[in-house]
Amino acid sequence: MKRTVLIIGAGGVAQVVAHKCAQNNDILGDLHIASRTVAKCEAIIDSVRAKGAMKIAGDFGVHTLDAMDVAAVAALIGQTGAQIVINVGSPFVNMTVLEACIQTGAACIDTAIHEDPTKVCETPPWYGNYEWKRREACKAAGVTAILGAGFDPGVVNAFARYAVDACMDTVESIDIVDINAGSHGRYFSTNFDPEINFREFTGTVYAWQGGEWTENRMFEVMREDDLPVVGRHKSYLSGHDEVHSLAARYPHADVRFWMGFSDHYINVFTVLQNLGLLSEQPVVTAEGLEVVPLKLVKAVLPDPSSLAPDYTGKTCIGDFVRGVKDGKPVEVFVYNTSDHAQAFAEVGSQGISYTAGVPPVAAAMLIASGVWDVGHMANVEDLDPKPFLALLNRIGLPTRIKDADGDRALVL
Amino acid sequence: MKRTVLIIGAGGVAQVVAHKCAQNNDILGDLHIASRTVAKCEAIIDSVRAKGAMKIAGDFGVHTLDAMDVAAVAALIGQTGAQIVINVGSPFVNMTVLEACIQTGAACIDTAIHEDPTKVCETPPWYGNYEWKRREACKAAGVTAILGAGFDPGVVNAFARYAVDACMDTVESIDIVDINAGSHGRYFSTNFDPEINFREFTGTVYAWQGGEWTENRMFEVMREDDLPVVGRHKSYLSGHDEVHSLAARYPHADVRFWMGFSDHYINVFTVLQNLGLLSEQPVVTAEGLEVVPLKLVKAVLPDPSSLAPDYTGKTCIGDFVRGVKDGKPVEVFVYNTSDHAQAFAEVGSQGISYTAGVPPVAAAMLIASGVWDVGHMANVEDLDPKPFLALLNRIGLPTRIKDADGDRALVL
C-alpha cells in the first residue's frame, strides 16, 4: 500500500530523503516537505525535478512549519493526509513531532536523539530522558515510531543486531567506528550544523563498559584501525545516541562509539573549546552586547551544504562485534563505505548527508510494505535487520562483512 | 620646575605611569588621572597610596573623561592646570588628545601610534597618516609632543640612535627584537587589550629594506637569536610603529621589527584568524544578531590586567644595530631585560605594562627639567638619547650593551 510521506526539515539530509523518496515513489506516495523556510523546501523540490528523480508521476507539496508547535504539525499531517512522517529537522523538534504523530496516528521516523537546546549531554541512557517516556503512549495509539533510523544511529544498530544474531552465540563487545576520510578543501568546516556538531563533543563521553556507564572527556581515549577502502585511521571514544539503546538490549556487552577526527579538526576544536568559544551560555562584550559564542562560531563557519560540490573521498562506518560462537572467540566487522562525489552526482549532497538520509527512506518503505509497521516505538535494533539491510543494498548503501572468512558483500 | 601631570587612560600601563609619577613627584607635581571609567582611576590611586609610592606629599585628582572629545580634554587640562599630558589611553584617542594639547599649550607624550578603529594597517609611513600632519601646528604653538615614548616604540628608538651615534660611522641595519619569555599560566591570553593586540598582526607586515617599503604576511619571516638572560628564541618579522619613524631618519639602513611568539600563540592566532574570528567587520548570526567577531574574542579572553599576580619570567627587548666603524663592520646589541614578578611587586603590574609605562614618565621628567622640552613634535630618536637612557637606568629600566667587547651595563 502506498503511503503519503511528510518530510520535516530542509537541510542537507532532507535533500537526500526527498530524492530517495522520489526515486521510490512507486512504494511511497505523494511527497510533502515542510520547514520554517519554505524557500529551502522549494529548492529541494527543484533539485528533485531537475534530476528527474521520480520513479513514477507524483505530486510534491511544500509547507511552512514551526515544528516546535505540536498543533501545527498535527494540522499539517491532517491537511496532507501524511501516513509517514520522516523527521530530519533539528533534534530540538523530535518530541513535538512525535507528539503530533501520536495524536494523528501517523508513523514517525527520526534520525537523531531529542535535545533540549539549553542542555548539553544529559544523564544516560539518553533515550530515557525523552523518547522512551512516550513508549506506552505510542503502543496505546498503535503508532509506529522508529527512533534514530539514520546511519549512526540507525544502520549501525542493525549491523550490531545482525552480527549478534547471525555470527555468535553470545556478544562481548560492540565497537562502532565512524571514519570520514573525505576532504572538503576548506580550512575548517563541520559536516552538519556546527551548533549540533560541537554540542556532541563538549560534554561527557558516555560508554557502556563492564555493565555500567563510564565517563571520559572527548579525545581522551583513542584507537587506530586499518579499515577497508579508507585505510589506517585514528578514532576517539565519543558520546553517541546508539550506545544508549544498544546498551539496554545487550547489557552484558561493552558498547562504545568511536568517531574519526583529523589532528587538524582536534586542534581547531581544542582551541575554540579552551577559549570558551563553543559555549552555549551567553557572554557580554565590552560594548554590552549579549552573544552566545557557539552561535557566532556557527556564523563564521562554512554552511555545511555548501561543501557538497567539492567534496571528494570516502566514508567508512561499521561495527566491530566480538563474541563467542561454539565456544570459540569470533570477531566480525560489518560496514559500509560511501563516496562523497558519487553522492553529490546522484542527489546533490555530500556523503555524510547521503549516509544519514537514505536509511530513514528505507525505514519508510518497510513501513509502507508492512514489514516494519509494528504499531509501537522501536529502536532500529529492536526490528529484524535483514529486510532493512537487504533494501539498503539495493538503494545505495550496500553492506559488507569482514571476518575470518574474508571481506565480502553481505548477501541477504 | 615642577609640572602638574594629567594621565589619560586607566589600564595596566596607566597603573605603572601613576606609580612612577608618584615615585618621582619631587620633579613632577600633582597628579591627575582621567578615563571613561572613574572607578578604574580610583583603583589606581588606591594602589599608589597602598604602596606609599609618593616620594613627597602631593595631591591626586580623578576625572571622568571622553578622550575622543577635544573640547573635554582641553577643558580638563585647563581645570587641572596640567602642563604635561601622558596619554596611555586607547590608540584611538591620540589625535584628539594631541589637538587639545596644541590648543592649551600642554606638553604631550603618547606611547603608540594613532589608529582609526575602522581601519587595520594603513599605508606607510604610518606616522604620516595622522601625527606628522600636525607637526607644523605643534611648532607654531611651541608645544612639545613626544610620539611613541613607551618601550617599543620609544626606548628602542633611543637604543638605535645611541648605537648609531656612539658605535659607528654609518648604519646598515636596525633589527629590533622583542621577546617576552614570561609565563602567565593561562591557556591563552594577550598581554594587553586583545583587540589592539590582534589588530597589530592581521594586516600587512611593513619593513624598510633596500631603501623601500617591503610587504610580508605575519609569521612569514622568522629569525632565531640566543639572547642574554632569556636564551634562544624565535621571533617573526612584524609591523610596528618605530619602523615608520626610524626609516625616515635612517633611509639608507634596513629597519625591521621582530616579535617573539610561542608556537602555541601562533597556533591559536592562526585558528582564530583563518576562521574569521579576528575580523573587525560584523557578521550576522542565524538569529539575526550583528556581532563583530573580534569583540566577542576579546570578551572570552582573560582581562590582561588579571594576569599580573601570577606572571613569572623575564622580557628581553633590544636593537641589533649593524654598521661600519673606521672601515670595519661592527654590530652591537643594546637591550633591557625586565622581570614580571619584580614589576608586580613594585607597581602591581606585569612586565609588559612596566616596560611600556616607565619610559613616558622618564620623558615627562626630562620635559619638566627642560632637557627634552623642545617646543615641537619629535619622535624619540630625534632627541638626545643619553639623558633618557641615563634616567631609565636609575628608575627601573637599565640598559645593557653587548658587542665585541662583551656584555655590560651601559654607563652614561
Side-chain angles (χ1 to χ4, degrees), chain A residues 187-188 267-268 270-272 274-277 283-287 289-291 293 295-296 298-301, chain B residues 187-188 267-268 270-272 274-277 283-287 289-291 293 295-296 298-301:
Chain A
Y187 173 75
F188 182 84
N267 179 45
V268 170
T270 303
V271 167
L272 295 177
N274 279 327
L275 294 183
L277 287 167
V283 299
V284 180
T285 70
E287 295 72 26
L289 188 68
E290 197 171 89
V291 184
K295 291 186 183 294
L296 177 73
K298 174 176 172 173
V300 299
L301 290 181
Chain B
Y187 173 74
F188 182 83
N267 180 46
V268 171
T270 303
V271 167
L272 295 176
N274 279 327
L275 294 184
L277 287 167
V283 298
V284 180
T285 69
E287 293 74 26
L289 189 68
E290 197 171 89
V291 184
K295 291 187 184 293
L296 177 74
K298 175 176 170 172
V300 299
L301 290 181

Coordinates of all heavy atoms in Angstrom, one line a residue, chain A residues 187-188 267-268 270-272 274-277 283-287 289-291 293 295-296 298-301, chain B residues 187-188 267-268 270-272 274-277 283-287 289-291 293 295-296 298-301:
Chain A
Y187 N 39.5 25.4 5.0 CA 40.4 25.4 6.2 C 39.8 24.5 7.3 O 40.4 23.7 7.9 CB 40.7 26.8 6.7 CG 41.4 26.8 8.0 CD1 42.8 26.6 8.0 CD2 40.8 27.1 9.2 CE1 43.5 26.6 9.2 CE2 41.5 27.2 10.4 CZ 42.8 26.9 10.4 OH 43.5 26.9 11.6
F188 N 38.5 24.8 7.5 CA 37.8 24.0 8.6 C 36.3 24.1 8.3 O 35.8 25.2 8.0 CB 38.1 24.6 10.0 CG 37.5 23.8 11.1 CD1 38.1 22.7 11.6 CD2 36.2 24.2 11.6 CE1 37.5 22.0 12.6 CE2 35.6 23.5 12.6 CZ 36.3 22.4 13.1
N267 N 42.7 20.1 16.8 CA 43.4 21.3 17.1 C 42.4 22.5 17.1 O 42.4 23.2 18.1 CB 44.6 21.5 16.2 CG 45.3 22.8 16.5 OD1 45.6 23.1 17.7 ND2 45.6 23.6 15.5
V268 N 41.7 22.6 16.0 CA 40.7 23.8 16.0 C 39.7 23.6 17.1 O 39.4 24.6 17.8 CB 40.0 23.8 14.6 CG1 38.9 24.8 14.6 CG2 41.1 24.1 13.5
T270 N 40.0 22.1 19.9 CA 40.6 22.3 21.2 C 40.8 23.8 21.5 O 40.5 24.3 22.6 CB 41.9 21.6 21.3 OG1 41.7 20.2 21.1 CG2 42.6 21.7 22.7
V271 N 41.3 24.5 20.5 CA 41.5 26.0 20.6 C 40.1 26.7 21.0 O 40.0 27.4 21.9 CB 42.1 26.6 19.4 CG1 42.0 28.1 19.4 CG2 43.5 26.2 19.3
L272 N 39.1 26.4 20.2 CA 37.8 27.0 20.4 C 37.2 26.7 21.7 O 36.7 27.5 22.5 CB 36.8 26.6 19.2 CG 37.2 27.1 17.8 CD1 36.2 26.5 16.8 CD2 37.2 28.6 17.8
N274 N 38.8 25.6 24.5 CA 39.6 26.1 25.6 C 39.4 27.6 25.8 O 39.5 28.2 26.9 CB 41.1 25.8 25.5 CG 41.4 24.4 25.9 OD1 40.8 23.9 26.8 ND2 42.4 23.8 25.3
L275 N 39.1 28.3 24.7 CA 38.9 29.8 24.7 C 37.5 30.1 25.2 O 37.1 31.2 25.5 CB 39.1 30.4 23.4 CG 40.6 30.4 22.9 CD1 40.7 31.2 21.6 CD2 41.5 31.0 23.9
G276 N 36.6 29.1 25.2 CA 35.2 29.3 25.6 C 34.3 29.7 24.5 O 33.2 30.1 24.7
L277 N 34.8 29.5 23.3 CA 34.0 29.9 22.1 C 33.0 28.8 21.7 O 32.2 29.1 20.7 CB 35.0 30.2 20.9 CG 35.7 31.5 21.1 CD1 36.9 31.7 20.1 CD2 34.8 32.7 21.0
V283 N 27.8 35.4 26.7 CA 28.8 36.3 27.3 C 28.5 37.7 26.9 O 27.8 37.9 25.9 CB 30.3 35.9 26.9 CG1 30.7 34.5 27.3 CG2 30.5 36.1 25.4
V284 N 29.0 38.7 27.6 CA 28.7 40.1 27.3 C 30.0 40.8 26.8 O 31.0 40.7 27.5 CB 28.1 40.8 28.5 CG1 27.8 42.2 28.2 CG2 26.8 40.0 29.0
T285 N 29.9 41.4 25.7 CA 31.1 42.1 25.2 C 31.3 43.4 26.0 O 30.4 43.9 26.7 CB 31.0 42.5 23.7 OG1 30.0 43.5 23.5 CG2 30.6 41.2 22.9
A286 N 32.5 44.1 25.7 CA 32.7 45.4 26.4 C 31.7 46.4 26.0 O 31.5 47.3 26.8 CB 34.1 45.8 26.0
E287 N 31.1 46.2 24.9 CA 30.0 47.2 24.4 C 28.7 46.8 25.0 O 27.7 47.5 24.6 CB 30.0 47.2 22.9 CG 31.3 47.7 22.2 CD 32.4 46.7 22.3 OE1 32.2 45.5 22.4 OE2 33.6 47.2 22.2
L289 N 26.9 43.9 24.5 CA 26.1 43.0 23.6 C 26.2 41.6 24.2 O 27.3 41.1 24.5 CB 26.6 43.1 22.2 CG 25.8 42.4 21.1 CD1 24.5 43.1 20.9 CD2 26.6 42.3 19.8
E290 N 25.0 41.0 24.3 CA 25.0 39.6 24.8 C 25.1 38.6 23.6 O 24.2 38.7 22.7 CB 23.7 39.4 25.6 CG 23.8 38.1 26.5 CD 22.5 38.1 27.4 OE1 21.5 37.5 27.0 OE2 22.6 38.6 28.6
V291 N 26.1 37.8 23.6 CA 26.3 36.9 22.5 C 26.5 35.5 23.0 O 27.3 35.2 23.9 CB 27.6 37.3 21.7 CG1 27.8 36.4 20.5 CG2 27.5 38.8 21.3
P293 N 28.6 32.4 22.3 CA 29.8 32.2 21.4 C 29.5 31.1 20.3 O 29.9 31.4 19.2 CB 30.8 31.7 22.4 CG 30.4 32.4 23.7 CD 28.9 32.4 23.7
K295 N 27.0 30.4 18.7 CA 26.2 30.9 17.6 C 27.0 31.8 16.6 O 26.8 31.8 15.4 CB 24.9 31.6 18.1 CG 24.0 30.6 18.7 CD 22.6 31.2 19.1 CE 21.7 30.2 19.8 NZ 21.3 29.1 18.9
L296 N 28.0 32.5 17.2 CA 28.9 33.3 16.4 C 29.8 32.3 15.6 O 30.1 32.5 14.4 CB 29.7 34.3 17.2 CG 30.7 35.0 16.3 CD1 30.0 36.0 15.4 CD2 31.9 35.6 17.0
K298 N 29.2 29.4 14.6 CA 28.4 28.8 13.5 C 28.3 29.8 12.4 O 28.4 29.5 11.2 CB 27.0 28.5 14.1 CG 26.0 28.1 13.0 CD 24.7 27.7 13.6 CE 23.6 27.4 12.5 NZ 22.4 26.9 13.0
A299 N 28.2 31.1 12.7 CA 28.0 32.2 11.7 C 29.3 32.3 10.8 O 29.2 32.7 9.7 CB 27.6 33.5 12.3
V300 N 30.4 32.1 11.4 CA 31.7 32.3 10.6 C 32.1 31.1 9.9 O 32.9 31.2 8.9 CB 32.9 32.9 11.5 CG1 32.5 34.2 12.1 CG2 33.3 31.9 12.5
L301 N 31.6 29.9 10.2 CA 32.0 28.7 9.6 C 31.2 28.5 8.2 O 30.1 29.1 8.1 CB 31.7 27.5 10.5 CG 32.6 27.3 11.7 CD1 32.3 26.1 12.5 CD2 34.1 27.3 11.3
Chain B
Y187 N 45.7 29.2 29.6 CA 45.7 28.5 28.3 C 46.1 29.5 27.2 O 47.0 29.2 26.3 CB 44.3 28.0 27.9 CG 44.3 27.4 26.5 CD1 44.9 26.2 26.3 CD2 43.6 28.1 25.5 CE1 44.8 25.6 25.0 CE2 43.6 27.5 24.2 CZ 44.2 26.3 24.0 OH 44.2 25.8 22.7
F188 N 45.5 30.7 27.2 CA 45.9 31.7 26.2 C 45.5 33.0 26.7 O 44.4 33.2 27.3 CB 45.2 31.4 24.8 CG 45.6 32.4 23.7 CD1 46.7 32.2 23.0 CD2 44.8 33.5 23.5 CE1 47.1 33.1 22.0 CE2 45.2 34.4 22.5 CZ 46.3 34.2 21.8
N267 N 49.6 29.2 16.9 CA 48.5 28.2 16.5 C 47.2 28.8 16.9 O 46.2 28.7 16.0 CB 48.8 26.9 17.3 CG 47.7 25.9 17.0 OD1 47.3 25.7 15.9 ND2 47.1 25.3 18.1
V268 N 47.0 29.3 18.1 CA 45.7 29.9 18.4 C 45.4 31.1 17.5 O 44.2 31.2 17.0 CB 45.7 30.4 19.9 CG1 44.5 31.2 20.2 CG2 45.8 29.2 20.8
T270 N 46.4 31.6 14.5 CA 46.1 31.1 13.1 C 44.7 30.5 13.0 O 44.0 30.7 12.0 CB 47.2 30.0 12.7 OG1 48.5 30.6 12.8 CG2 47.0 29.6 11.3
V271 N 44.3 29.7 14.0 CA 43.0 29.2 14.0 C 41.9 30.3 14.0 O 41.0 30.3 13.2 CB 42.8 28.2 15.2 CG1 41.3 27.9 15.4 CG2 43.6 27.0 15.1
L272 N 42.1 31.2 14.9 CA 41.1 32.3 15.0 C 41.1 33.2 13.7 O 40.0 33.5 13.2 CB 41.4 33.2 16.2 CG 41.3 32.6 17.6 CD1 41.7 33.5 18.7 CD2 39.9 32.1 17.9
N274 N 42.0 32.3 10.6 CA 41.5 31.5 9.5 C 40.0 31.3 9.6 O 39.3 31.2 8.5 CB 42.2 30.2 9.3 CG 43.6 30.3 8.7 OD1 43.8 31.1 7.8 ND2 44.5 29.5 9.1
L275 N 39.5 31.2 10.8 CA 38.0 31.1 10.9 C 37.3 32.4 10.7 O 36.1 32.4 10.6 CB 37.7 30.5 12.3 CG 38.2 29.0 12.5 CD1 37.7 28.6 13.9 CD2 37.7 28.1 11.4
G276 N 38.0 33.5 10.7 CA 37.4 34.8 10.6 C 37.0 35.4 11.9 O 36.3 36.4 12.0
L277 N 37.5 34.8 13.0 CA 37.1 35.3 14.3 C 37.9 36.5 14.8 O 37.6 37.1 15.8 CB 37.2 34.2 15.3 CG 36.1 33.1 15.2 CD1 36.5 31.8 16.0 CD2 34.8 33.6 15.6
V283 N 29.5 40.2 11.5 CA 28.8 39.1 10.9 C 27.4 39.0 11.5 O 27.2 39.5 12.6 CB 29.6 37.8 11.0 CG1 30.9 37.8 10.3 CG2 29.7 37.3 12.4
V284 N 26.5 38.3 10.8 CA 25.2 38.2 11.4 C 24.9 36.7 11.7 O 25.2 35.8 10.9 CB 24.1 38.7 10.3 CG1 22.7 38.5 10.9 CG2 24.4 40.2 10.0
T285 N 24.4 36.4 12.9 CA 24.2 35.0 13.3 C 22.8 34.6 12.7 O 22.1 35.4 12.2 CB 24.1 34.9 14.8 OG1 22.9 35.5 15.3 CG2 25.3 35.5 15.5
A286 N 22.6 33.3 12.8 CA 21.3 32.7 12.3 C 20.1 33.4 12.9 O 19.0 33.4 12.3 CB 21.3 31.2 12.5
E287 N 20.3 33.9 14.1 CA 19.2 34.5 14.9 C 19.1 36.0 14.5 O 18.3 36.7 15.1 CB 19.4 34.4 16.4 CG 19.4 32.9 16.9 CD 20.6 32.1 16.5 OE1 21.7 32.7 16.3 OE2 20.4 30.9 16.4
L289 N 21.5 38.4 14.9 CA 22.3 39.3 15.8 C 23.6 39.7 15.0 O 24.3 38.8 14.5 CB 22.6 38.6 17.1 CG 23.2 39.5 18.2 CD1 22.2 40.5 18.7 CD2 23.7 38.6 19.3
E290 N 23.8 41.0 15.0 CA 25.1 41.5 14.3 C 26.2 41.6 15.4 O 26.1 42.2 16.4 CB 24.8 42.9 13.8 CG 25.8 43.3 12.7 CD 25.4 44.6 12.0 OE1 25.8 45.6 12.5 OE2 24.8 44.5 10.9
V291 N 27.3 40.8 15.1 CA 28.4 40.7 16.1 C 29.7 41.0 15.4 O 29.9 40.4 14.3 CB 28.4 39.3 16.7 CG1 29.5 39.2 17.8 CG2 27.1 38.9 17.3
P293 N 33.2 39.8 15.4 CA 33.9 38.6 16.0 C 35.0 39.0 16.9 O 35.1 38.4 18.0 CB 34.4 37.9 14.7 CG 33.5 38.2 13.6 CD 33.1 39.7 13.9
K295 N 35.4 41.4 18.9 CA 34.9 41.9 20.2 C 34.4 40.7 21.0 O 34.5 40.8 22.3 CB 33.8 43.0 20.0 CG 34.4 44.3 19.4 CD 33.4 45.4 19.3 CE 34.0 46.6 18.6 NZ 35.1 47.3 19.4
L296 N 33.9 39.7 20.4 CA 33.5 38.5 21.2 C 34.8 37.8 21.7 O 34.8 37.4 22.8 CB 32.6 37.5 20.4 CG 32.3 36.3 21.2 CD1 31.3 36.6 22.3 CD2 31.9 35.1 20.3
K298 N 37.6 39.1 22.3 CA 38.1 39.9 23.5 C 37.3 39.5 24.8 O 37.8 39.4 25.8 CB 37.9 41.4 23.2 CG 38.3 42.3 24.3 CD 38.2 43.8 23.9 CE 38.3 44.7 25.1 NZ 38.5 46.1 24.7
A299 N 36.0 39.4 24.6 CA 35.1 39.1 25.8 C 35.4 37.8 26.4 O 35.2 37.6 27.6 CB 33.6 39.2 25.4
V300 N 35.8 36.8 25.6 CA 36.1 35.4 26.2 C 37.5 35.3 26.7 O 37.8 34.4 27.5 CB 35.7 34.3 25.3 CG1 34.3 34.3 24.9 CG2 36.6 34.2 24.0
L301 N 38.4 36.1 26.3 CA 39.8 36.0 26.8 C 40.0 36.6 28.2 O 39.2 37.5 28.6 CB 40.8 36.7 25.8 CG 40.9 36.0 24.4 CD1 41.9 36.8 23.5 CD2 41.4 34.6 24.6

